[in-house]
Amino acid sequence: MVSSSHEALHRIFQKDPALLTRALQGVLRIPFPEPREFAAMNVDLTEIEPVERRVDTLLRAETDEGAYLLVVESQGDIDKRKRGSWPYYLSYLHEKYRCEPVLIVITQSHATARWAAEPIHLGVRGCPSLTVRPFVLGPDNVPVIVDEREAERDVPLAVLSAMTHGRGPQAAAILENLATALRTIDPDSAAVFVQFVDSCLADRQAQQMWRDLMTAIQYFWRHPLAEQVRDEGREEGREEGRAEGWSAAILRTLHRRQIDVPADVRDRILASTDIDELGTWLDRSYEIADARELFTEGP
């Protein structure tokens, strides 16, 4: 189970390596060749000497131009030691595998993104022997995906958007549209993405909103994260809170679909504490044209 934003921010590329290519080409505008296949590699760069060095994620991408090693580093805060270790990683990998290494840094912080993007020069000032230029994915360039159809076209990119911008003012819109988009992919992949997003939401209110939205997705409750949520619910007596989360999800869906909700319909939704009933209403909320049809059996 993913337990931190640091882990989630690089493991999403293990889950969907092609997302890394799309980020390089579409977000960073780097003419990276289209890979034919990917292979996960050992992230341990420790040598015989007792000095442990590990990258976060390491992928081998086979292209028509040859093989590339994609080094993904998840960076929370500024760490000046990386100015030495990152060049080491690239040099070591190039020497060991004779493939071109590419360094991609991903972060949720504007300040860290600016710092990480600075070229690393080693050698004589103004005439370095070695220059390393990290490619950075962060809140300044990862797209803010608040359109439902855009989220459905590229769910992994929408997940990356939620993970990167989960602290920002548009977090609510991003999460709502992502929740809808997750319904369009296979449940097992969606359950993993759910966990990635949850791990990256440092804002407690945004995280609670995300978990409320996820109660509407039945397969979520088979995921290990669900057990954590259930335990928290039992500890805090939040059965009523779960019902409120379902009710809020129904109303948000109707609002997003621009369906008018009369006062009596809203009151009935908010008054219900039956999770099965609320789940049925939520499913209908994606299809009906009139709010009162929530309570009417379909043909």
Side-chain angles (χ1 to χ4, degrees):
M1 177 177 173
V2 176
S3 59
S4 69
S5 60
H6 174 92
E7 187 178 359
L9 282 169
H10 69 85
R11 278 190 54 188
I12 186 175
F13 298 112
Q14 298 176 15
K15 173 64 179 172
D16 185 357
L19 173 62
L20 196 53
T21 302
R22 297 197 295 278
L24 287 169
Q25 297 172 344
V27 178
L28 298 175
R29 307 297 182 187
I30 297 169
F32 189 78
E34 195 68 34
R36 295 190 303 273
E37 62 177 319
F38 289 94
M41 302 183 67
N42 190 342
V43 299
D44 192 343
L45 308 186
T46 305
E47 300 183 71
I48 297 177
E49 297 294 327
V51 177
E52 183 176 331
R53 299 181 186 271
R54 294 176 184 271
V55 297
D56 289 331
T57 286
L58 180 61
L59 300 169
R60 181 186 177 106
E62 298 289 345
T63 78
D64 291 338
E65 299 179 9
Y68 286 85
L69 299 178
L70 304 178
V71 182
V72 183
E73 285 281 279
S74 174
Q75 195 68 30
D77 300 314
I78 295 173
D79 183 354
K80 294 182 178 180
R81 293 174 299 176
K82 296 293 186 178
R83 311 296 287 181
S85 59
W86 286 341
Y88 171 85
Y89 294 164
L90 301 187
S91 298
Y92 175 86
L93 289 168
H94 184 269
E95 174 65 20
K96 181 174 182 178
Y97 295 105
R98 295 298 176 180
C99 297
E100 298 299 329
V102 180
L103 174 62
I104 302 99
V105 180
I106 181 164
T107 181
Q108 295 174 297
S109 165
H110 292 276
T112 302
R114 289 191 295 270
W115 164 80
E118 296 175 1
I120 302 170
H121 301 296
L122 301 181
V124 178
R125 181 173 299 180
C127 189
S129 297
L130 176 65
T131 297
V132 173
R133 300 181 183 277
F135 300 130
V136 180
L137 293 170
D140 294 324
N141 57 10
V142 172
V144 178
I145 298 180
V146 294
D147 179 78
E148 182 178 319
R149 293 183 180 179
E150 186 179 358
E152 291 177 355
R153 281 196 298 269
D154 194 337
V155 174
L157 184 59
V159 172
L160 183 62
S161 178
M163 294 163 62
T164 307
H165 299 285
R167 302 176 181 177
Q170 300 192 72
I174 295 172
L175 296 176
E176 286 183 352
N177 286 287
L178 175 58
T180 302
L182 286 174
R183 291 172 169 267
T184 66
I185 65 175
D186 71 277
D188 290 335
S189 293
V192 174
F193 288 145
V194 166
Q195 184 182 180
F196 285 164
V197 174
D198 189 270
S199 298
C200 289
L201 296 175
D203 180 79
R204 180 63 181 172
Q205 185 175 1
Q207 186 181 65
Q208 187 57 55
M209 174 189 174
W210 178 241
R211 292 182 176 186
D212 289 342
L213 286 168
M214 290 302 97
T215 60
I217 303 179
Q218 298 298 324
Y219 56 77
F220 169 71
W221 298 104
R222 301 201 307 268
H223 195 274
L225 176 61
E227 186 60 36
Q228 173 188 334
V229 177
R230 283 196 293 268
D231 289 344
E232 292 175 359
R234 283 193 290 268
E235 291 172 5
E236 301 174 15
R238 291 178 49 205
E239 186 65 30
E240 181 180 347
R242 282 187 58 198
E244 291 176 356
W246 284 79
S247 299
I250 294 168
L251 293 173
R252 277 194 295 265
T253 300
L254 295 174
H255 175 73
R256 187 169 62 247
R257 297 187 60 220
Q258 299 182 335
I259 295 177
D260 182 61
V261 181
D264 60 324
V265 173
R266 177 181 296 272
D267 290 343
R268 182 172 175 182
I269 294 172
L270 295 175
S272 177
T273 58
D274 187 326
I275 299 300
D276 292 334
E277 179 180 62
L278 289 167
T280 299
W281 292 350
L282 183 64
D283 290 338
R284 292 177 186 168
S285 70
Y286 287 91
E287 304 171 353
I288 59 176
D290 185 286
R292 297 187 189 281
E293 295 178 16
L294 282 176
F295 316 126
T296 305
E297 293 288 345

